[in-house]
């Protein structure tokens, strides 16, 4: 068990800078997820923590120990790879016990630990098999078992579920969460799947272009994104972005999209809006905040529905405002149809105002 | 109408397949099956090829010391040469694999040269290096104030030279096979192993070697066959001398059959290679089939 401290971390491959100054402190027992689009440097950060990539600049501490120049085997970490990286010529038992055997644990101890881990993961019957005789989900469990038996200070997961089918991914997600609750080992987990990030993490780190965009609990990241990128990346279907203007008059600041959709902003926000008078902004609103429910905060708007996507428990409707396609989320009871007219309600309190120049949420 | 019928007859798949294989079947029949049975037939004749003598030629060979010397030499030669070819090939493949990918092609190309040159020609080049009067190697030794070495005229050195040249010719084959095998081992296995706590040697023994096991065994078996049946190197360098101490089965058969004019006896010598090669080939084929099934 240990906390992990990363200070001003950089990584330069040949001439491209993959990681450009990451500061992150991870508390003991915390489950932190690095999420971002491919090429954002999240895997590189993880591999530097593991010791598989050299650090170009900056410091990594595991516990209180500076590990920059310590080889992976002495960092007391365990890693689960996307490809599982199981040794194909070894049985499941041998795969799981390899690290222990190299570290000269006694035979009884190895047997005990492996059997215990196998029980936790439900793979006790598979110990004599070889990886090629296992299904994807089983291999993933073995890879986790290999990490668990060592009882390391930190678990590292590098996109562990992306080779599994959707159903298995859901199951393994629960499994990983269960194991973490059971063992309480500090965990750093890399994924590009925002559902994994939202469901598993204590804290989510959203990365883009080698930098951190935002760190926060899943709830914070979802409800209070700090940049347009975070707002658009987290959430599925993605947040809608509508171009609009900020207008100042004697009553204060208001947002103007078109004649029907314009509303005054809270007084609290006014300070931040200074200087944006008359400027173009992007207005972000999540699909669930465009629905059929009437309320005080809602702005009614008549639309012609382009497309309906029934999902069973809810229905996604697509329509166009100012030539931008938007998505709303309504109850299936409304029986909305393509090409029909409908009145939808936009929750004006749920708009995120984004300065398109800085990508910051105001 | 008749031609039409012929086409219909030909259109059946098994027939087409047979006819497409026919050239190869004919070639194998002419160059391998016929000579094989013909040599069995020859081996049962007397020297003048006029009388059937049964197994007399074989029994005669059993009584000859030279024959047993050739047996020992062939086995020793094949085992030692293959061992070093495999070892050197493995080390070279590993070294190349460690290089940055830009430099790899260049080295791979250069190291393949010995294997690409026709061995009779390259062996001639070696012969010049070893050759008693103008030996380039001895000239070098002399410059270093070391005594000249009778490369081809003393039993130990003659055997040494032959094995050396065979290794030089054959090691690149191992190199290329091992390099391909090394490249097929996923990098993340090594990463997982470093996190599991393996050092360089442990990775070599627990990851690299087991992952290459199949390729290593097939390459070695294949090479034993080729090395065991080697002819040209010995023929060019020593012609079996000094006093038959570097003869292999193939060169001895040539000596007895062609040079001494006793073709039936030569055929008998060459037939002794058959059981050894047949067993090895059988093992290889079984191995290949097993691997194919696994895939």
């Amino acid at each position: 068990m240990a906390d992990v401290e990363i200070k001003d971390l950089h990584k330069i491959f040949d001439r491209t800078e993959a990681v450009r100054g990451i500061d992150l402190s991870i508390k003991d027992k915390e489950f932190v997820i690095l999420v971002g689009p491919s090429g954002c440097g999240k895997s590189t950060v993880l591999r530097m923590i593991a010791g598989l990539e050299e650090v170009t600049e900056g410091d990594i501490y595991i516990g209180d120990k500076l590990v920059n120049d310590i080889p992976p085997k002495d960092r007391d970490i365990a890693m689960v790879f996307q490809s599982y990286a199981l040794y194909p010529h070894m049985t499941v038992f041998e795969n799981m016990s390899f690290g222990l055997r190299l570290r000269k644990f006694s035979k009884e101890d190895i047997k005990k630990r492996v059997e215990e881990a196998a029980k936790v993961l439900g793979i006790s019957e598979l110990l004599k098999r070889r990886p090629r005789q296992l299904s994807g989900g089983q291999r993933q469990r073995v890879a986790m078992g290999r990490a668990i038996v060592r009882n390391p200070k930190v678990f590292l997961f590098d996109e562990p579920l992306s080779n599994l089918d959707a159903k298995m991914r859901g199951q393994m997600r629960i499994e990983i969460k269960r194991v973490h609750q059971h063992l309480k080992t500090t965990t750093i987990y890399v994924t590009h799947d925002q559902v994994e990030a939202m469901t598993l993490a204590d804290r989510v780190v959203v990365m883009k272009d080698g930098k951190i965009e935002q760190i926060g609990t899943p709830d914070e990241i979802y409800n209070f994104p700090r940049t347009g990128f975070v707002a658009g990346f987290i959430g599925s279907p993605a947040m809608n972005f509508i171009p609009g203007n900020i207008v100042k008059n004697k009553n204060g600041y208001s947002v103007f999209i078109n004649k029907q959709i314009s509303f005054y902003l809270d007084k609290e926000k006014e300070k931040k809006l200074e200087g944006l008078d008359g400027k173009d902004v992007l207005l972000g609103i999540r699909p669930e905040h465009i629905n059929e429910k009437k309320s005080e905060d809602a702005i009614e708007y008549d639309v012609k529905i382009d497309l309906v996507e029934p999902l069973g428990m809810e229905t996604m409707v697509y329509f166009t405002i100012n030539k931008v396609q938007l998505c709303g989320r309504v109850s299936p009871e409304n029986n909305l149809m393509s090409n029909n007219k409908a009145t939808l309600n936009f929750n004006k309190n749920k708009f995120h105002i984004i300065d398109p120049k800085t990508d910051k949420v105001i | 109408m008749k031609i039409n019928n012929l086409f219909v007859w030909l259109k059946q798949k098994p027939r087409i397949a047979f006819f497409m294989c026919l050239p190869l079947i004919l070639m194998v029949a002419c160059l391998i099956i016929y000579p094989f049975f013909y040599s069995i037939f020859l081996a049962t004749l007397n020297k003048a090829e006029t009388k059937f003598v049964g197994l007399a030629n074989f029994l005669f060979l059993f009584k000859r010391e030279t024959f047993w010397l050739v047996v020992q030499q062939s086995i020793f030669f094949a085992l030692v040469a293959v061992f070093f070819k495999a070892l050197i090939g493995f080390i070279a493949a590993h070294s190349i694999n460690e290089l940055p990918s830009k430099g790899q092609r260049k080295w791979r190309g250069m190291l393949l040269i010995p294997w690409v040159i026709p061995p009779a020609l390259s062996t001639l080049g070696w012969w010049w290096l070893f050759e008693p009067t103008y030996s380039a190697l001895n000239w070098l030794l002399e410059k270093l104030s070391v005594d000249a070495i009778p490369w081809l005229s003393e039993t130990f050195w003659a055997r040494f030279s032959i094995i050396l040249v065979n290794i030089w010719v054959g090691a690149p084959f191992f190199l290329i096979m091992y390099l391909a095998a090394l490249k097929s081992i996923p990098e993340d296995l090594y990463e997982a192993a470093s996190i599991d706590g393996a050092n360089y040697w442990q990775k070599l023994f627990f990851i690299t070697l087991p992952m290459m096991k199949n390729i290593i065994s097939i390459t070695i078996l294949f090479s034993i066959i080729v090395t065991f049946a080697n002819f040209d190197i010995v023929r060019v360098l020593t012609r079996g001398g000094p006093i038959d101490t570097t003869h292999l089965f193939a060169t001895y058969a040539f000596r007895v059959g062609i040079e001494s004019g006793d073709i039936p006896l030569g055929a008998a010598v060459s037939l002794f290679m058959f059981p050894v090669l047949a067993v090895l080939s059988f093992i290889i084929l079984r191995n290949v089939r097993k691997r194919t099934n696994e895939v």
Side-chain angles (χ1 to χ4, degrees), chain B residues 42-280:
Chain B
L42 275 178
T44 58
L45 300 178
N46 68 349
K47 187 174 176 181
E49 297 176 39
T50 51
K51 215 170 75 189
F52 177 77
V53 293
L55 297 176
N57 281 324
F58 295 96
L59 296 173
F60 174 74
L61 281 174
F62 284 143
K63 284 186 223 134
R64 295 282 298 258
E65 264 178 48
T66 319
F67 175 74
W68 290 112
L69 191 67
V70 170
V71 172
Q72 283 171 28
Q73 277 162 194
S74 294
I75 293 171
F76 177 78
F77 170 75
L79 293 183
V80 174
V82 169
F83 174 78
F84 281 103
K85 280 190 270 193
L87 186 69
I88 291 169
F90 186 79
I91 294 171
H94 237 277
S95 318
I96 289 188
N97 201 33
E98 300 283 308
L99 290 174
S101 47
K102 263 190 196 165
Q104 284 192 12
R105 276 178 68 125
K106 196 171 59 194
W107 283 101
R108 212 168 49 200
M110 285 200 295
L111 288 172
L112 265 181
I113 291 175
W115 191 58
V116 181
I117 306 175
L121 286 181
S122 57
T123 311
L124 207 58
W126 278 98
W127 183 76
W128 279 332
L129 294 177
F130 290 137
E131 194 271 323
T133 344
Y134 303 108
S135 166
L137 290 177
N138 279 346
W139 175 81
L140 208 67
L141 289 177
E142 204 177 294
K143 292 276 170 204
L144 297 168
S145 324
V146 181
D147 284 343
I149 290 173
W151 293 107
L152 301 174
S153 50
E154 202 176 82
T155 300
F156 172 81
W157 287 108
R159 286 175 178 166
F160 173 87
S161 307
I162 282 166
I163 290 175
L164 178 75
V165 175
N166 188 270
I167 293 170
W168 180 82
V169 171
F173 171 67
F174 283 82
L175 162 77
I176 215 73
M177 296 295 279
Y178 288 172
L179 198 57
L182 278 176
K183 295 242 181 265
S184 70
I185 303 175
E187 187 56 33
D188 52 13
L189 288 190
Y190 291 108
E191 294 181 343
S194 358
I195 288 174
D196 267 339
N199 59 29
Y200 178 84
W201 295 107
Q202 285 166 328
K203 280 184 215 164
L204 188 68
F205 280 107
F206 294 122
I207 312 289
T208 312
L209 284 177
M211 293 290 288
M212 289 172 68
K213 202 175 65 190
N214 279 320
I215 291 285
I216 290 178
S217 60
I218 285 184
T219 323
I220 285 183
L221 281 170
F222 182 75
S223 178
I224 289 179
I225 291 181
V226 177
T227 312
F228 195 73
N230 187 279
F231 174 78
D232 29 24
I233 293 175
V234 172
R235 185 67 202 161
V236 173
L237 282 185
T238 64
R239 297 178 179 238
I243 330 173
D244 298 329
T245 51
T246 57
H247 263 311
L248 307 175
F249 272 111
T251 53
Y252 186 58
F254 184 77
R255 155 69 51 85
V256 173
I258 308 292
E259 290 183 326
S260 310
D262 192 343
I263 288 182
L265 196 63
V269 171
S270 67
L271 279 176
F272 271 101
M273 278 192 281
F274 177 71
V276 178
L277 301 186
V279 168
L280 290 174

Side-chain angles (χ1 to χ4, degrees), chain A residues 80-86 92 96 117-118 120-124 126 129-146 148 157 160-176 178-179:
Chain A
V80 177
F81 292 82
Q82 177 178 359
S83 60
Y84 321 130
L86 299 177
V92 168
M96 286 170 69
V120 171
L121 294 163
I123 49 172
S124 301
L126 307 178
R129 297 227 198 137
R130 285 182 199 272
R132 103 177 98 80
Q133 300 166 304
L134 304 177
S135 69
Q138 288 169 331
R139 288 180 201 187
Q140 187 57 60
R141 278 165 214 259
V142 175
M144 276 169 67
R146 182 168 66 180
I148 289 172
F157 287 86
L161 305 184
S162 36
N163 283 4
L164 299 176
D165 61 55
K167 195 176 160 200
M168 192 45 95
R169 209 177 298 160
Q171 276 180 27
M172 287 308 294
R173 224 163 46 210
I174 296 168
E175 196 80 347
I176 290 174
R178 202 167 57 82
V179 168

Side-chain angles (χ1 to χ4, degrees), chain A residues 19-278:
Chain A
V19 176
R20 322 198 235 175
I22 298 274
D23 287 285
L24 181 63
S25 52
I26 295 159
K27 292 192 284 289
D28 188 20
K29 296 176 190 165
E30 200 175 17
F31 198 125
V32 167
I33 290 194
L34 306 183
V35 68
S38 46
C40 72
K42 55 192 191 301
S43 278
T44 311
V45 171
L46 193 79
R47 291 168 60 81
M48 282 193 278
I49 299 171
L52 298 173
E53 292 299 346
E54 256 179 63
V55 172
T56 310
E57 210 185 302
D59 291 327
I60 299 173
Y61 293 88
I62 296 177
D64 296 324
K65 210 159 88 182
L66 179 67
V67 295
N68 282 22
D69 299 318
I70 294 177
K73 66 188 175 82
D74 299 325
R75 293 191 182 196
D76 204 3
I77 45 146
M79 184 155 167
V80 177
F81 292 82
Q82 177 178 359
S83 60
Y84 321 130
L86 299 177
Y87 311 121
H89 54 284
M90 296 187 198
T91 64
V92 168
F93 183 91
E94 286 164 341
N95 262 287
M96 286 170 69
S97 61
F98 187 59
L100 301 175
R101 277 183 284 146
L102 292 179
R103 288 181 165 80
K104 304 257 165 8
F105 279 64
S106 75
K107 265 195 178 156
E108 301 83 60
D109 198 13
I110 291 176
K111 195 161 178 276
K112 207 182 105 208
R113 280 173 180 239
V114 171
E115 280 171 0
E116 220 166 81
K119 216 170 112 193
V120 171
L121 294 163
I123 49 172
S124 301
E125 302 81 50
L126 307 178
L127 289 176
K128 288 199 179 110
R129 297 227 198 137
R130 285 182 199 272
R132 103 177 98 80
Q133 300 166 304
L134 304 177
S135 69
Q138 288 169 331
R139 288 180 201 187
Q140 187 57 60
R141 278 165 214 259
V142 175
M144 276 169 67
R146 182 168 66 180
I148 289 172
V149 289
R150 294 232 325 272
N151 193 18
K153 281 186 188 153
V154 182
F155 279 144
L156 305 174
F157 287 86
D158 189 5
E159 310 221 6
L161 305 184
S162 36
N163 283 4
L164 299 176
D165 61 55
K167 195 176 160 200
M168 192 45 95
R169 209 177 298 160
Q171 276 180 27
M172 287 308 294
R173 224 163 46 210
I174 296 168
E175 196 80 347
I176 290 174
K177 191 147 197 171
R178 202 167 57 82
V179 168
H180 180 253
Q181 275 172 1
H182 180 70
L183 300 172
K184 298 194 173 62
T185 308
T186 313
T187 302
I188 306 172
Y189 186 112
V190 161
T191 180
H192 62 262
D193 179 353
Q194 37 111 1
V195 179
E196 279 168 36
M198 295 296 289
T199 50
L200 287 171
D202 294 326
R203 273 197 305 158
V204 178
V205 177
V206 184
M207 287 184 64
K208 184 197 170 198
D209 297 337
K211 282 184 178 162
I212 292 179
E213 285 277 309
Q214 187 173 354
I215 306 177
T217 63
D219 190 52
E220 284 166 0
I221 296 276
Y222 189 79
N223 292 315
F224 308 103
R226 252 185 256 146
T227 63
F229 173 77
V230 175
F233 187 75
I234 301 287
S236 174
M239 189 185 274
N240 300 299
F241 293 103
I242 320 163
N245 304 99
I246 299 284
V247 181
K248 192 185 174 186
N249 58 24
K250 56 182 192 274
N251 292 329
Y253 286 92
S254 69
V255 167
F256 180 84
I257 293 171
N258 59 23
K259 275 180 189 161
Q260 268 181 299
I261 309 181
S262 73
F263 53 89
Y264 283 101
L265 290 163
D266 290 341
K267 297 282 175 207
E268 309 152 28
K269 277 198 175 164
E270 285 193 353
K271 259 191 188 165
K272 295 180 192 165
L273 292 166
E274 266 168 41
L276 279 173
D277 181 17

